[in-house]
Amino acid sequence: MVHSVELLFDAETDAAVRQVWDELADAGIRSLAAHRSPSNRPHVTVTVAENLDDGVDEALRPVLDRLPLTCVLGAPMLFGSGHSLTLVRLVIPSAELLALHAEVHRMSLPHTATGPLPHADPGRWTPHVTLARRVPLDLLPTAFGVGAVTRDIPATAVGLRHWDGDAKVVHTITGHSSTT
């Protein structure tokens, strides 16, 4: 499995993204609304690696000083190839967001033996929020017909977490000594 560091949203942004998930589900698109795990919440993956040791949580605390960070969930995009694709919303890459990404990248490097996956490197990263995975090609017109998929969403990122995919545990990164 992989480890990731993720930006979390305020309650209003979280609710707006969940509304998009629900509208997609209502239209017959298998969105993230169906994923009921407590760890499933709207987020932006800032970096991802095969491993990140627990020291990354402490190392990333200074990044919290950059929050809250306002941004916009903009255009819908598709990732992948073949018979099904992943539907996402671009997080418009402001200078502030790109600086935060660069800082997370730099501070995470000492905590991974293999380095980040290439698509997480500065200059190659595409900030996004996932709406639906494995969308069949024939359902793309339906997905793009859902009005909430194409309307900009003003957003505010307010927190960070570290997802340990090996242990399937979320570590909320806080400004004090508690990391889980």
Side-chain angles (χ1 to χ4, degrees):
M1 289 302 292
V2 297
H3 289 238
S4 59
V5 175
E6 302 165 349
L7 270 176
L8 303 176
F9 295 113
D10 65 359
E12 293 80 17
T13 306
D14 188 276
V17 173
R18 288 177 189 276
Q19 180 64 39
V20 179
W21 291 354
D22 290 341
E23 289 182 32
L24 283 165
D26 291 346
I29 306 297
R30 190 173 142 194
S31 75
L32 291 182
H35 181 38
R36 298 290 181 202
S37 167
S39 65
N40 182 45
R41 65 182 289 188
H43 67 274
V44 179
T45 300
V46 184
T47 196
V48 63
E50 288 181 17
N51 56 57
L52 285 168
D53 66 46
D54 289 342
V56 75
D57 300 353
E58 177 74 29
L60 289 171
R61 285 191 184 133
V63 176
L64 296 172
D65 292 341
R66 292 182 174 273
L67 303 176
L69 185 143
T70 58
C71 54
V72 175
L73 308 187
M77 300 187 318
L78 298 169
F79 289 153
S81 61
H83 298 293
S84 65
L85 301 170
T86 300
L87 175 62
V88 304
R89 293 288 298 270
L90 174 69
V91 180
I92 297 174
S94 66
E96 295 83 6
L97 181 61
L98 294 174
L100 181 144
H101 173 255
E103 187 174 1
V104 167
H105 176 80
R106 181 181 56 77
M107 296 173 108
S108 298
L109 281 176
H111 300 281
T112 177
T114 58
L117 297 182
H119 68 275
D121 284 337
R124 297 179 73 185
W125 176 63
T126 303
H128 66 277
V129 174
T130 301
L131 301 178
R133 293 188 176 99
R134 295 181 288 284
V135 179
L137 297 178
D138 63 330
L139 289 180
L140 289 177
T142 302
F144 281 91
V146 172
V149 168
T150 57
R151 281 191 299 273
D152 285 357
I153 299 173
T156 304
V158 295
L160 280 176
R161 72 179 182 180
H162 163 205
W163 166 248
D164 178 341
D166 296 322
K168 298 193 181 342
V169 173
V170 171
H171 301 269
T172 301
I173 299 170
T174 64
H176 50 79
S177 61
S178 173
T179 59
T180 57

